[in-house]
């Protein structure tokens, strides 16, 4: 049963990611720059429901897979808390869309929550993978190593964003213009989903991890 739930969770992750990729090739969202515009920009389009469905699928798939790990006692409490922050953060992103900067000059309460949830989710997930890797794969050093490397790469993507913020603060510039923000965010999201997939994929029968 746990294997079926894990596989269903992985399928939800893959389907969610696939829907986001689909948005980049169908009109009108194909006009959104994947290098300069963030993923949340899709949530301001006519295909908002597709974006929302994609994020909810990722959240549900994450919750299902993490629940299986927890039931197998392969998920430390700190990792479970971080995984919960990731899942809840995704749902908040859907509930409170990104501000439409074409019509507003500053973020409202919902826009602020969207930003905070995005940061929390993108940071919490790789930390959860790092914390969980040893317990999840005590007898599989290869998967443990791969999960950790992908988690560190995910944090590296986020470090690029932090670096831009620091440089912009020192030069009185706009940090989002200093880097290809859309590309960095998409790279981070893809790396994190792969890291999560490695963590959630069922282990072979007879092996604890």
């Amino acid at each position: 049963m746990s294997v079926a739930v894990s596989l269903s969770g992985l399928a939800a992750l893959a389907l969610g990611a696939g829907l986001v990729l689909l948005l980049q090739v169908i009109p009108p969202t194909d006009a959104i720059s994947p290098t300069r515009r963030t993923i949340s920009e899709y949530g301001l389009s006519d295909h908002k429901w597709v974006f929302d469905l994609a994020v909810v699928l990722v959240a549900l798939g994450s919750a299902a897979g993490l629940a299986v790990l927890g039931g197998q006692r392969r998920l430390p409490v700190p990792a479970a808390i971080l995984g919960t922050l990731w899942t809840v953060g995704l749902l908040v992103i859907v509930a409170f869309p990104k501000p439409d900067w074409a019509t507003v000059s500053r973020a409202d309460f919902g826009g602020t929550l969207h930003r905070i949830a995005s940061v929390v989710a993108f940071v919490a997930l790789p930390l959860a993978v790092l914390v969980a890797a040893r317990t999840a794969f005590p007898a599989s050093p290869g998967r443990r190593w791969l999960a950790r490397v992908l988690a560190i790469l995910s944090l590296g993507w986020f470090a690029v964003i932090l670096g831009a913020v620091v440089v912009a603060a020192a030069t009185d510039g706009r940090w989002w213009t200093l880097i290809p923000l859309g590309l960095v965010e998409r790279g981070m999201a893809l790396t994190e989903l792969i890291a999560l997939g490695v963590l959630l994929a069922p282990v072979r029968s007879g092996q604890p991890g």
Side-chain angles (χ1 to χ4, degrees):
M1 180 65 178
S2 61
V3 172
V5 175
S6 293
L7 292 177
S8 296
L10 290 172
L13 293 180
L15 181 56
L19 288 175
V20 173
L21 291 175
L22 178 65
L23 287 172
Q24 193 53 61
V25 297
I26 61 174
T29 46
D30 60 337
I32 295 176
S33 171
T35 58
R36 287 294 175 183
R37 298 296 183 179
T38 63
I39 300 172
S40 293
E41 197 82 15
Y42 298 131
L44 301 177
S45 72
D46 294 338
H47 295 321
K48 179 182 185 302
W49 70 273
V50 178
F51 170 78
D52 289 348
L53 176 60
V55 178
V56 169
L57 282 171
V58 172
L60 294 178
S62 301
L66 291 171
V68 170
L69 286 182
Q72 296 173 341
R73 299 192 177 184
R74 294 169 52 215
L75 189 69
V77 172
I81 294 173
L82 289 165
T84 300
L85 289 175
W86 154 259
T87 304
V88 173
L90 291 178
L91 296 177
V92 172
I93 288 172
V94 172
F96 298 92
K98 171 184 177 179
D100 186 351
W101 298 113
T103 59
V104 300
S105 59
R106 58 186 300 178
D108 57 7
F109 176 73
T112 300
L113 275 182
H114 181 95
R115 283 183 171 181
I116 294 173
S118 298
V119 172
V120 170
F122 278 127
V123 173
L125 178 59
L127 291 179
V129 174
L130 279 175
V131 173
R134 184 178 183 86
T135 304
F137 308 118
S140 182
R143 281 185 64 174
R144 185 166 64 242
W145 177 85
L146 180 59
R148 286 172 172 169
V149 168
L150 288 168
I152 292 171
L153 287 175
S154 300
L155 292 173
W157 284 111
F158 187 74
V160 173
I161 296 176
L162 286 182
V165 172
V166 171
V167 171
T171 60
D172 197 26
R174 297 180 177 180
W175 67 268
W176 58 89
T177 65
L178 301 179
I179 57 174
L181 180 58
L183 182 62
V184 172
E185 188 186 71
R186 283 165 175 77
M188 179 168 57
L190 178 60
T191 308
E192 292 197 2
L193 286 181
I194 295 174
L196 182 59
V198 170
L199 183 68
L200 301 186
V203 297
R204 286 185 296 177
S205 178
Q207 292 190 1

